[in-house]
Amino acid sequence: MEHWLTKRAHLTPDLVALELSNDKTITFAQLAEQAKDFATKLYRVHQRGHIAILSDNSLDLAIAFWACTYIQVPVVFLNTRLTTREWKRQCEDADVQTIIFADKYTDSMSSLPVPSYSIASIRMSTSVECPIASQINLDSICSMMFTSGTTGRAKPVMQTFHNHWSSAVASALNLGLMPNDKWLLCLPLFHIGGLSTLFKSVIYGMSVYLLERFDEEKVHHAIMERKVTIISVVAVTCSRLLERLADGHYPSAFRCMLLGGGPAPKPLLEKAKEKNVPIVQTYGMTETSSQIVTLSEQDALRKLGSAGKPLFSASLQIEYDGSRAKANQIGEIVVQGPMVTKGYYGREEANKEAFQQDWFHTGDLGYLDEEGFLFVVDRRNDLIISGGENVYPAEIEEVLLSYEGVKEAGVTGREDNKWGQVPVAYVVTADENVTAEELLLHCQEHLASFKVPKEIHFRNQLPRNATNKLQRHLLKG
Amino acid sequence: MEHWLTKRAHLTPDLVALELSNDKTITFAQLAEQAKDFATKLYRVHQRGHIAILSDNSLDLAIAFWACTYIQVPVVFLNTRLTTREWKRQCEDADVQTIIFADKYTDSMSSLPVPSYSIASIRMSTSVECPIASQINLDSICSMMFTSGTTGRAKPVMQTFHNHWSSAVASALNLGLMPNDKWLLCLPLFHIGGLSTLFKSVIYGMSVYLLERFDEEKVHHAIMERKVTIISVVAVTCSRLLERLADGHYPSAFRCMLLGGGPAPKPLLEKAKEKNVPIVQTYGMTETSSQIVTLSEQDALRKLGSAGKPLFSASLQIEYDGSRAKANQIGEIVVQGPMVTKGYYGREEANKEAFQQDWFHTGDLGYLDEEGFLFVVDRRNDLIISGGENVYPAEIEEVLLSYEGVKEAGVTGREDNKWGQVPVAYVVTADENVTAEELLLHCQEHLASFKVPKEIHFRNQLPRNATNKLQRHLLKG
């Protein structure tokens, strides 16, 4: 297939690709040109392996990303909220040989053992002759993002161009495609919910309003005044927007608030309905290149709490005890479809476990009702979702256990009005002098702030089952 | 991928799939159920090879077609306007082992050497146990339709499920997808322009208003009163609709009159613009599973006469003398994309000629302007398009030459107010007693009526080039 951005620039050169909050806009022709120009500069410093990008949402990030596709290098997206130690690990695990970053991260770069360049410095450097891809090889890896399982180290998810293409197409077949569509992008581009919108922009020929981050004032204003028709949100941001809306109403052109990234509390959905906010619930993950199950607006009330039905090109089953579950029987959610990842980069064992008979095992629990609507009961057993970010207990436990005097550690999620959930830790110590304060300090050093436990409780023992496996669900309360 | 109709019936069971002119409707759940039921009856009579369907547009035809997909048998669509002799040939060429037909064609069936069953008789027969496909294998052949080259016998074009899927997706990305879309289908289902709408219906979850044939009163009424938003037309039918519209206006919900199937005369386009009819010009053929190049409405006036730009997943080049032509240089139109056929069934030679370096050579002549808009100069050199039907001179010449006393024959197209073009024949006879009347009678016996020459001229010789190849373009006048 022709390179998507080149093709789009050819089809609708003068259409606005990205609109920024400073009122700057860039057309598809300009975006393609600037991405190609950046590619010829990036090519000088990058020889082999993958490129990591560390940046908050910005036009620069979009240009740098498309530049990488022009020189056919997979992009590893780094979460800006992680610590240097976490970035270092991820670079090792994803074969990153070059990091490009936004200026504000300059200070963190010195401690990383990978050549790094600020996006600004690359832009000011000289171009070299280099092959600019005219085609896209659908089967090659476009991007990687990290996700953790319930056990151990975060894993790099490989997303091919075909995954992203299929995701954009499946979403269009489900939500429709209007000539006046404008998607507000305020999720981080290093999350699939953000990145997927960039592909939609280019594949659909649709303007995207790009915000650096979620800011309820800016988002509210954009929906009210800037002719935004669709926005992706998570429960926390949705809730804040509804509060900000107060007794007001969104314009009728605003047609979809796509709600993903974790369970949606029923009171929130009811409140949205009251205010006539067109919520479309969805279920998806990094491994499915964003949505794979979506509840249409017309079913929203009748099936309150359901994530909907699998998109047209996707399939879903509930597996219980190795075979297909009956209606209303809870089991593991397994999925199939062209938007599902080929696997984790360099993780043979994890891939063997996750992929069985062409089905991807999500680790999430749920059931299908008689009509085939999915209800997600629990995300990946112990997964904590805090403000739309995945927080994996195992990772926090590992950090706690690395502290001298900690014998056992267990982490679980606690309901939180603001963030949905926050992590809470339970520890058994060998040494009575270990304090909660020093453990928190230790966590702050080694973990992104949203992963740092909000409480630390000391126990004599932790609940374990017969095989001594930690039973995190018994930690609650 | 899950079987499309089964999947659609699962996603939106109660949505109307087809609306008929007698006000009957059928939902996707009913369509799937009836197609599966028909499949279990069809399975009893069909053992191997392909199934041909001979029918005008009807609900029965749609059910029979989907039934064939459930028992995984490719469907050969027979043009109802051909003669028994032509159907016989096509059945031989496409390995047809079973014909199913609409009642009105019963009389023609006795002379065909293939077992044939009326759709009604199958419906009334008993079911047998048979495997109903739950999946669609995208790479397998879904349908075949015949098309001729400039030389010789019509060739069966293989259309895979992937071709049809890609065509439906590419069209949606180009035209958009509105929740209230309803497509009026009045092109024959044995033409790709008709059949492709059936796939759109199921893939998009869109109601289709199915007419037996083009009838300007019914079509006009449907656009005015039945909330139709899109219709596919050819130049002749477009022109009749505009006349019928007179000084009226279509409702604003009617958003697209997709004009394909041959060159669009400029006066027609100007007239449409005057009446605010949203014409979207398009270029495509059986081998590209319908549209592959489309002119958007916003460019319609500025690029009057252009067929537009290739769809997002498609590519197009102009080839001149074996290499890529410059802007505005006329050459052969070659195309690439997932909607392009894998080839002609059982025609190795023709495939070698048509496919070179992954490009399909259309045989049509055209050029790209500086902005990359396609202008089709001539369809397949000598192709005559009469009322949207392809008429190939070589086929008519063959019939004329088969008449005792005819030494040479040449056929070309003449402009015609009603049909766009009509075939006109030029013959050289060995015997002065051969009359135009007896030649016409002979043609009527062997050719579909739209292929019978409207005039027969006698000549002493026909224009030929140095290698003695007939120069049909010099026959004109």
Side-chain angles (χ1 to χ4, degrees), chain B residues 175-193:
Chain B
L175 296 178
L177 257 185
M178 312 289 187
N180 66 337
D181 269 340
K182 186 195 285 187
W183 203 303
L184 171 53
L185 203 177
C186 56
L187 293 176
L189 284 166
F190 54 76
H191 275 323
I192 186 60

Side-chain angles (χ1 to χ4, degrees), chain A residues 1-5 7-13 135 165 168-169 172-179 202-204 255 298-299 309-316 336 338 371-373, chain B residues 1-5 7-13 135 165 168-169 172-179 202-204 255 298-299 309-316 336 338 371-373:
Chain A
M1 206 182 283
E2 280 181 54
H3 190 288
W4 299 341
L5 182 53
K7 176 77 178 187
R8 173 51 58 199
H10 174 65
L11 288 179
T12 52
Q135 301 282 315
W165 168 265
V169 164
L173 291 179
N174 183 52
L175 296 177
L177 258 186
M178 313 286 188
V202 167
I203 293 171
Y204 302 168
R255 68 184 186 91
Q298 55 268 38
D299 292 319
K309 290 180 178 174
L311 299 179
F312 195 85
S313 52
S315 303
L316 183 145
Q336 216 174 44
E371 291 178 75
F373 284 86
Chain B
M1 205 182 284
E2 279 180 57
H3 191 287
W4 299 342
L5 182 54
K7 177 76 178 186
R8 173 51 60 199
H10 175 64
L11 288 178
T12 52
Q135 300 282 315
W165 169 263
V169 165
L173 291 178
N174 182 53
L175 296 178
L177 257 185
M178 312 289 187
V202 167
I203 294 170
Y204 302 169
R255 67 183 187 91
Q298 55 267 39
D299 291 319
K309 290 178 178 176
L311 299 179
F312 195 85
S313 53
S315 302
L316 183 147
Q336 217 174 44
E371 290 178 76
F373 284 87

